């Protein structure tokens, strides 16, 4: 058990990403339906949001539903979408009380319109809050996010076909495409890259989460299934992060 008092408050991660995995296995072990696992997982998400907020972590990205999760049964997908909608409606007071801002990353295009509306409303309702910013990664895929970002960048360069075909235009624009401009065209360019990415439930893969932004994140893997996660597990992950030496390619100092 790691208490929050064990953490060095002067070097907390600014942005934590969590791949909340293991809801299905949690339910299976308890001989319950997978949907029950998602219900418990949501309760855990609220606990972890509160813990991160109490620690004054500025940004928390939660991987809620990936671009690949549409492969699941219609029943499971429908249940998760319903849960998200219900949560955003029911918990606005919780977000208001804690001055938490809700944001979204992912493709709104592929989401049911009522979910998009709920995300927008929650985002607008909490826009002015200066506390923790919770980014819900919903219909999110790291590759898809890069594709959408590159499309935005290209759209911003669009001119007439004649100009676009000219050698000068092509040369100028090819040279103007760089990492910073791609980054600026991703979903939330104002949010700093994650310092710490956590994955629960004993899987050691990224599953298409924050591919661009996570280039220099520290990774923390936990065997504990997401519904069993507690605030102390978050503190343990942050404590482990605080032991890491980040070099960003600069070599050992
Ligand atoms: C994570 O739990 C939640 C989502 C991906 C929506 P899973 O549903 O993937 O749980 P496992 O991996 O099957 O145990
Ligand atoms: C990643 O978990 C997606 C979310 C947690 C939302 P998955 O359970 O979908 O990942 P894989 O299939 O094990 O890679
Ligand atoms: Mg899983």
């Amino acid at each position: 058990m790691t208490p929050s008092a064990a953490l060095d408050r002067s070097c907390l991660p600014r942005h934590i990403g969590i791949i909340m995995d293991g809801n299905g296995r949690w339910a299976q072990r308890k001989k319950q339906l997978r949907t029950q696992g998602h219900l418990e997982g949501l309760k855990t998400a609220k606990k972890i949001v509160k813990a991160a907020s109490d620690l004054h972590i500025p940004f928390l990205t939660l991987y809620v539903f990936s671009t690949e999760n549409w492969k699941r049964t219609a029943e499971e997908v429908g249940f998760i979408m319903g849960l998200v909608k219900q949560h955003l409606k029911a918990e606005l007071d919780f977000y208001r009380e804690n001055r938490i801002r809700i944001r979204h990353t992912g493709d709104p295009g592929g989401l049911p319109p009522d979910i998009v509306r709920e995300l927008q409303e929650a985002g607008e309702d909490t826009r002015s809050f200066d506390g923790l910013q919770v980014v819900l990664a919903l219909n999110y895929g790291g590759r898809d996010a890069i594709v959408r970002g590159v499309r935005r960048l290209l759209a911003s360069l669009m001119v007439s076909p004649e100009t676009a075909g000219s050698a000068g235009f092509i040369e100028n624009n090819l040279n103007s495409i760089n990492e910073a401009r791609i980054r600026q065209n991703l979903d939330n360019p104002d949010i700093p890259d994650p310092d710490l990415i956590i994955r629960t439930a004993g899987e050691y893969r990224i599953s298409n989460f924050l591919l661009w932004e996570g280039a220099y994140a520290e990774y923390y893997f936990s065997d504990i299934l997401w519904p069993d996660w507690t605030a102390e597990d978050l503190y343990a992950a942050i404590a482990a992060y605080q032991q890491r030496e980040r070099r960003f390619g600069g070599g050992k100092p």
Side-chain angles (χ1 to χ4, degrees):
M1 289 279 272
T2 309
S4 66
L7 300 177
D8 176 353
R9 301 296 169 127
S10 70
C11 70
L12 290 170
R14 271 210 299 168
H15 181 180
I16 301 176
I18 309 184
I19 304 172
M20 309 180 291
D21 199 15
N23 294 351
R25 276 162 282 173
W26 183 91
Q28 209 169 20
R29 279 179 204 174
K30 294 209 156 5
K31 307 235 179 306
Q32 294 177 3
L33 295 173
R34 291 180 62 82
T35 47
Q36 193 60 32
H38 294 312
L39 211 56
E40 290 302 319
L42 181 61
K43 288 186 198 159
T44 301
K46 187 178 167 186
K47 274 191 280 187
I48 299 302
V49 164
K50 179 74 170 75
S53 165
D54 290 346
L55 282 174
H56 303 293
I57 303 285
F59 301 95
L60 175 69
T61 299
L62 298 176
Y63 206 2
V64 178
F65 191 89
S66 75
T67 45
E68 287 72 39
N69 286 148
W70 299 104
K71 292 175 192 162
R72 299 189 181 198
T73 64
E75 188 201 359
E76 185 172 350
V77 170
F79 187 86
I80 294 170
M81 293 297 158
L83 215 52
V84 170
K85 187 176 162 183
Q86 197 190 338
H87 174 83
L88 290 174
K89 266 193 193 306
E91 297 291 353
L92 262 183
D93 279 347
F94 163 75
Y95 291 112
R96 285 199 195 104
E97 275 159 29
N98 291 284
R99 303 192 62 75
I100 295 169
R101 182 172 167 193
I102 304 281
R103 300 180 68 170
H104 172 235
T105 183
D107 185 2
L111 284 169
D114 55 334
I115 302 287
V116 177
R117 213 167 32 242
E118 218 54 66
L119 283 167
Q120 272 169 352
E121 278 176 21
E124 271 153 35
D125 231 88
T126 60
R127 183 181 298 277
S128 63
F129 291 154
D130 53 5
L132 172 69
Q133 299 197 25
V134 175
V135 187
L136 301 176
L138 193 59
N139 194 23
Y140 176 86
R143 288 181 174 176
D144 178 68
I146 294 168
V147 169
R148 287 184 296 106
V150 169
R151 280 193 192 139
R152 265 183 218 129
L153 175 54
L154 289 179
S156 72
L157 301 176
M158 287 290 187
V159 286
S160 71
E162 301 82 61
T163 324
S166 74
F169 179 85
I170 292 170
E171 198 182 323
N172 286 342
N173 281 298
L174 282 184
N175 292 334
S176 80
I177 293 176
N178 54 30
E179 290 186 12
R181 288 190 82 186
I182 291 182
R183 184 71 180 83
Q184 277 157 18
N185 283 279
L186 298 181
D187 284 341
N188 295 302
D190 61 302
I191 298 180
D193 286 346
D195 302 299
L196 169 63
I197 293 181
I198 296 167
R199 183 166 189 150
T200 66
E203 307 292 354
Y204 305 101
R205 56 179 170 262
I206 306 176
S207 302
N208 209 4
F209 188 52
L210 301 180
L211 295 185
W212 182 283
E213 299 90 332
Y216 269 101
E218 295 295 330
Y219 280 86
Y220 179 86
F221 297 97
S222 157
D223 286 339
I224 300 169
L225 305 176
W226 179 248
D228 289 330
W229 253 57
T230 63
E232 283 70 31
D233 295 309
L234 178 71
Y235 307 146
I238 297 173
Y241 163 83
Q242 292 184 330
Q243 298 303 312
R244 306 271 176 93
E245 185 188 15
R246 302 182 79 186
R247 302 198 196 111
F248 300 96
K252 224 173 149 44

